[in-house]
Amino acid sequence: MLRTEMANLDADGRPVYTRQENNGGAKYGHSFAMLKVWIDENLDIYKPELRRILWPIFVYAFLSIISDQYLADAPKFFNAFKDEFGAEHEDDLNALQPIALPEHIKDNRVAMLYRENKYRISINKVAFFNMISFLEANEKQGGSVIVYIIQVNCGVVLTERAADDQYSLARMLGRAATVEDHPQEDEGIPGHNPGSANVDRNANSTVLTKLKLGPLDMESDLFDDVQAELRDEDEKYPPRAGKSSLSDEFDRMIKREESEESPNRGDLQIPPSLARDVAFEVQRVKENRDRLRIEGRTGGVAPGVSVCMFTFHNTHDVLNCLDFSGDNKLVAAGTDDSWVGVWSLDGSPMESLRPSVKPGNHYRFIGHSAPVYAVSFSPGINPHEQKLDTGPRFLLSCSSDKSIRLWSLQAWACLVIYKGHELPIWDVQWGPWGHYFLTASRDGTARVWSQGEASALRIMVGHDQSCDVICWHPNGAYVFSGGEDKTVRMWAVTNGYPVRLFTGHNAYLTSISCSPNGKLLASADEKGTIILWDLAAGKLLKRMKGHDKGGIWSLSWSVESNVVVSGGADGTVRVWDVEGSPDPTSQGRTVNQRVNNTKIDISAPSSSAAAAGKGKKKQKEVVTPDQIFAFPTKKTPVYKVKFTRMNLIVAGGANMG
């Protein structure tokens, strides 16, 4: 009995700890280091998934050290392992690092977010059981500490291998070939289900709101008027050989649209159609028939697309945003100096209804008292031979002064000032029908407004931090928002409720855009990654990489919804294949990009690199196989890209030379 009691004492009678859980705050560091070494020495096929669990264990271990009053051990633990997660979790690390006392946890938003929720993570069943077996076999060395953290703080979803999903053997082997720096779509805090806006971690993972993604039904009177106009057009201008008539094209468009479930027009309260709307629809049919058709890659040959780039010179770095009108005749810009400018793209004079305003090819709107961050033209279309004016009538602008202004493009004056946001407004966008518009603000909300109402009709609250970017669904029944919390959220306009929540980005969102067919969403972040989402299934389809860091500032879709174009801070316009490989782990070639945007394939002979000229140190970037083309500019960050209805790409930016 005495020998048993003395077994854990040293010569001086002090206790000798044989189990790590009795070793104070240092037990977390020893246990974490042991697990990390085991994962690093594991089979390559399991490493990518096992590495994902290190982050939540690191966070919860750090918070436990603070809560258990081992205050001297906390900074040692944090500094010893933080570099492992710097690339992906930089923001969370910066938020957690100042915590030094238990009282600080309650005042820290990020810490409480982890404390109040379980961290959801998906791991292959075989890999997880191997890890648990290792931890149980090394219980005294710290395995029990890790097991307790996982049990209490992690919601582990065990996955089976399947032939056609992201957990298949082929995908796991692909991930093993590269070190992933992005989370799975269903990973993280709070413990939401993949693609679902239901953030209850106990909710059934199959619960998804059914969406009505089809186009909005056309009014019966508008339908009859459009049909009559198209028949008249066919009689006046019979189609050339090999081209269908406008009436046949319209019938095909209607049949294709009827295949999807559509929202109720009455629920959206859209104003009755006017003669201008008839002209819109007739021209839309014409452009749909006569457009450049992009059918994707055929026999390995990429579709031929053209980019028309408009560059602003001598801006002195005050230009913040751009937008092109729907009739492709105007461009608007917002500035740091609080004014908004509108230019005629072809230099022709713009008329005014006010005798005191002389016609000119440039007008300046003055009214905001702080930088202007976004501008948006009301819907417009090139009239061609239509007698009615179908160009944009209004321009919206939003500013750091917390207001939105509605400007007339006929009187060239401010008509309305909308107020309601509590902090600067980052983005504004007209709805597809021109009656409603959407805003995003630093106050974390997205709001739907009506042109004729002074206050917002819907306030979408859900982002944990600033709401930065927004877009509309083509049928006008849904809106999307993205923010600094690295999430993309989908909202129903009719009631303001969330219907989808997408996670997977590891940097804040810089642009989002919904496809014309209403089935897909593209989102881009500050680190240069584009993610495609399936809206109905609420799933991530694939990731596309090629842009440098600094942000992808604009996205746009082709009419067929099979090609995406992007532009950003790296001064390139890039064209992407939507229907390419869905494997998010697939990698393209690695290229070197110089400051002057000269690109050199590193697999080429050294003489090719020398031919590019001497310059500053080159920076490697990874380009996924989805990229079709990359169009570099001359020191011009691309603020706006847009596919016209004829499938021509229009882009704009401010030269920094």
Side-chain angles (χ1 to χ4, degrees), residues 225-498:
D225 291 341
V226 171
Q227 269 194 330
E229 286 287 335
L230 293 175
R231 282 195 294 267
D232 291 344
E233 287 286 324
D234 287 334
E235 291 178 3
K236 292 179 183 178
Y237 310 103
R240 297 193 304 269
K243 275 200 172 184
S244 62
S245 66
L246 293 175
S247 297
D248 291 340
E249 183 70 23
F250 182 60
D251 290 340
R252 279 196 294 269
M253 292 172 63
I254 294 299
K255 289 179 181 178
R256 185 167 61 248
E257 291 175 353
E258 288 177 349
S259 62
E260 299 291 335
E261 186 174 1
S262 302
N264 190 332
R265 190 180 185 91
D267 293 341
L268 299 179
Q269 300 181 5
I270 297 175
S273 301
L274 305 173
R276 193 169 184 263
D277 298 304
V278 177
F280 260 70
E281 293 299 327
V282 170
Q283 184 59 31
R284 191 166 73 96
V285 175
K286 288 182 178 180
E287 293 183 346
N288 192 72
R289 182 192 66 177
D290 300 336
R291 74 183 190 276
L292 168 68
R293 298 184 182 273
I294 300 178
E295 306 297 344
R297 300 188 182 186
T298 304
V301 179
V305 295
S306 298
V307 180
C308 181
M309 179 74 186
F310 293 90
T311 303
F312 285 78
H313 292 273
N314 303 318
T315 62
H316 306 292
D317 202 23
V318 300
L319 210 64
N320 288 334
C321 55
L322 290 176
D323 190 33
F324 295 99
S325 61
D327 62 356
N328 305 314
K329 293 183 176 181
L330 306 175
V331 61
T335 68
D336 242 0
D337 294 337
S338 77
W339 56 269
V340 177
V342 180
W343 289 264
S344 171
L345 287 176
D346 61 2
S348 59
M350 298 176 285
E351 300 295 330
S352 172
L353 297 178
R354 296 166 59 197
S356 59
V357 179
K358 296 180 180 180
N361 59 13
H362 170 229
Y363 287 109
R364 181 177 292 192
F365 292 128
I366 297 177
H368 285 291
S369 59
V372 177
Y373 292 123
V375 290
S376 178
F377 282 105
S378 61
I381 198 167
N382 195 337
H384 287 309
E385 298 181 15
Q386 296 287 348
K387 297 179 181 178
L388 290 173
D389 176 21
T390 55
R393 293 180 175 179
F394 306 105
L395 179 74
L396 285 169
S397 61
C398 64
S399 168
S400 185
D401 64 9
K402 300 179 284 187
S403 73
I404 308 108
R405 286 180 178 256
L406 178 70
W407 308 91
S408 170
L409 298 179
Q410 296 173 319
W412 300 102
C414 181
L415 301 179
V416 186
I417 303 175
Y418 303 93
K419 294 185 177 180
H421 282 291
E422 300 174 356
L423 291 171
I425 305 170
W426 302 130
D427 202 2
V428 62
Q429 190 175 115
W430 280 101
W433 316 113
H435 183 64
Y436 301 108
F437 61 91
L438 179 66
T439 57
S441 170
R442 189 178 176 184
D443 62 16
T445 66
R447 306 188 185 207
V448 175
W449 308 71
S450 171
Q451 180 182 326
E453 301 288 339
S455 57
L457 302 180
R458 298 283 185 271
I459 301 178
M460 287 77 167
V461 180
H463 286 284
D464 295 328
Q465 300 177 53
S466 173
C467 179
D468 295 340
V469 290
I470 47 174
C471 74
W472 285 82
H473 190 275
N475 65 18
Y478 304 99
V479 295
F480 303 88
S481 62
E484 288 186 8
D485 60 1
K486 307 169 188 174
T487 66
V488 180
R489 298 169 188 257
M490 183 179 183
W491 314 81
V493 172
T494 53
N495 53 25
Y497 291 163

Side-chain angles (χ1 to χ4, degrees), residues 74-272:
K76 296 178 183 177
F77 175 84
F78 192 91
N79 294 326
F81 302 108
K82 67 177 182 178
D83 293 341
E84 179 81 11
F85 313 103
E88 181 179 332
H89 300 285
E90 180 180 1
D91 294 339
D92 285 357
L93 287 172
N94 293 336
L96 294 172
Q97 190 164 14
I99 298 176
L101 297 171
E103 293 78 10
H104 295 169
I105 296 178
K106 298 179 181 179
D107 298 330
N108 190 290
R109 184 192 62 82
V110 174
M112 291 305 297
L113 194 63
Y114 281 88
R115 267 294 176 87
E116 294 173 355
N117 296 275
K118 282 192 174 184
Y119 192 98
R120 180 187 172 104
I121 187 167
S122 299
I123 301 181
N124 179 268
K125 183 183 292 186
V126 176
F128 182 74
F129 286 158
N130 285 343
M131 181 182 70
I132 295 299
S133 298
F134 166 77
L135 295 174
E136 289 178 346
N138 294 271
E139 179 184 2
K140 292 184 178 181
Q141 288 75 27
S144 59
V145 175
I146 302 298
V147 170
Y148 179 78
I149 291 176
I150 294 173
Q151 271 185 327
V152 175
N153 301 296
C154 295
V156 179
V157 178
L158 300 181
T159 62
E160 299 279 0
R161 290 182 184 173
D164 58 349
D165 66 9
Q166 61 180 318
Y167 304 109
S168 67
L169 180 60
R171 294 287 181 87
M172 293 174 68
L173 287 171
R175 285 195 290 269
T178 60
V179 178
E180 288 191 319
D181 60 350
H182 53 76
Q184 297 292 343
E185 60 183 300
D186 58 345
E187 177 181 327
I189 297 290
H192 60 269
N193 300 309
S196 173
N198 188 346
V199 296
D200 181 4
R201 61 179 178 270
N202 297 315
N204 189 333
S205 61
T206 62
V207 177
L208 283 175
T209 304
K210 186 177 181 180
L211 303 178
K212 297 181 179 180
L213 302 178
L216 196 65
D217 293 333
M218 190 179 294
E219 289 178 306
S220 58
D221 291 342
L222 177 61
F223 180 85
D224 294 338
D225 291 341
V226 171
Q227 269 194 330
E229 286 287 335
L230 293 175
R231 282 195 294 267
D232 291 344
E233 287 286 324
D234 287 334
E235 291 178 3
K236 292 179 183 178
Y237 310 103
R240 297 193 304 269
K243 275 200 172 184
S244 62
S245 66
L246 293 175
S247 297
D248 291 340
E249 183 70 23
F250 182 60
D251 290 340
R252 279 196 294 269
M253 292 172 63
I254 294 299
K255 289 179 181 178
R256 185 167 61 248
E257 291 175 353
E258 288 177 349
S259 62
E260 299 291 335
E261 186 174 1
S262 302
N264 190 332
R265 190 180 185 91
D267 293 341
L268 299 179
Q269 300 181 5
I270 297 175

